[in-house]
Amino acid sequence: MRDLKLPDQRHPEKAHRPDNAQPKKPAWIRVKAPGGAGYNKTREIIRENRLSTVCEEAGCPNVGECWSQGHATMMIMGEICTRGCTFCNVATGKPQALDAFEPGRVAHAVATLGLKHVVITSVDRDDVEDGGAEHFAQTIRAVRHRAPETTIEILTPDFLRCDDSALEVVVAARPDVFNHNLETVPGLYPTVRPGARYFHSLRLLQRVKELDPSIFTKSGIMVGLGEDRQGVLQVMDDMRSADVDFLTIGQYLQPTPKHHAVERFVTPEEFASYEKSAYGKGFLMVSATPLTRSSYHAGDDFARLRDARMAKLAAV
């Protein structure tokens, strides 16, 4: 039995990599340690329903703030990923079989927490023929049944090894927001996201809009991995060519010395400049701060996203 608390067992594919120094975080990147009544209540509900969250598995710096408000990002299809991205803290290896009862437990937790907006993500499941597409669809339908007023945002894998019909299954379940992160600039894919393909991920986002233009699409990247400004601006242009509505940009933080190195800490002023450029390129919604993550303030951002679409339509 693997012990995922041990680094060598959690990330066997990284165990023999040389250590990368972890630079001291600047003042603008530090957060308070998690705790408090709200945090503990959320953790209790997650434990009672035997659910995984990307908040814990990926070591998100915002977990204290989000959980204290009752917000947690559900991670379905297990806690072991079939990919080995060099930036990611989710465990890598051979996952267990999909749990048919998991969609119901997620829906129960969403209803118990009283969420107005929920984000549901997953590990990559290259071992499953449809990449877990039907499991995503079942989870969306279960949440709709138990919490019909809750808006649903999904953050999916790339379904790289699947038939095109896999994406169609997920889109047919009609999430309110379909998020798939490009993560970084294309030139860094071989070292940062070696199991993925940049233009496949871009095309995935474009196809969502082709299948159902009413669904909001969202994507995000990390900075501080070694990219330059021109590369980030080009990714923005690529996303807009795929009609992506919502862009997130956040600082990459290195989970362990075995993970990809932090090349630099991007300043708040640079993030503000990226935000201004992104709005200029036509995104309906942009979140660009050092602590921005895909699910951070997702509920509030969804409300703003919906309002921005209505304002744009009214101006036509």
Side-chain angles (χ1 to χ4, degrees), residues 50-80:
R50 292 178 287 119
L51 298 174
S52 297
T53 67
V54 75
C55 321
E56 292 181 295
E57 299 302 329
C60 180
N62 303 314
V63 63
E65 178 186 344
C66 294
W67 281 30
S68 67
Q69 299 171 15
H71 299 159
T73 297
M74 312 297 175
M75 190 172 79
I76 60 175
M77 298 195 281
E79 57 185 5
I80 297 177

Side-chain angles (χ1 to χ4, degrees), residues 205-255:
L205 291 160
Q206 185 178 42
R207 282 196 65 226
V208 173
K209 280 292 191 183
E210 292 171 354
L211 291 167
D212 189 340
S214 70
I215 295 176
F216 290 104
T217 50
K218 178 177 177 180
S219 190
I221 61 169
M222 302 167 290
V223 289
L225 286 158
E227 74 294 323
D228 60 22
R229 179 176 174 80
Q230 186 55 46
V232 173
L233 296 178
Q234 183 60 58
V235 171
M236 291 183 193
D237 287 336
D238 291 346
M239 287 186 187
R240 288 303 301 136
S241 71
D243 203 18
V244 172
D245 298 304
F246 187 169
L247 167 67
T248 61
I249 307 176
Q251 171 70 50
Y252 166 64
L253 298 176
Q254 184 181 345

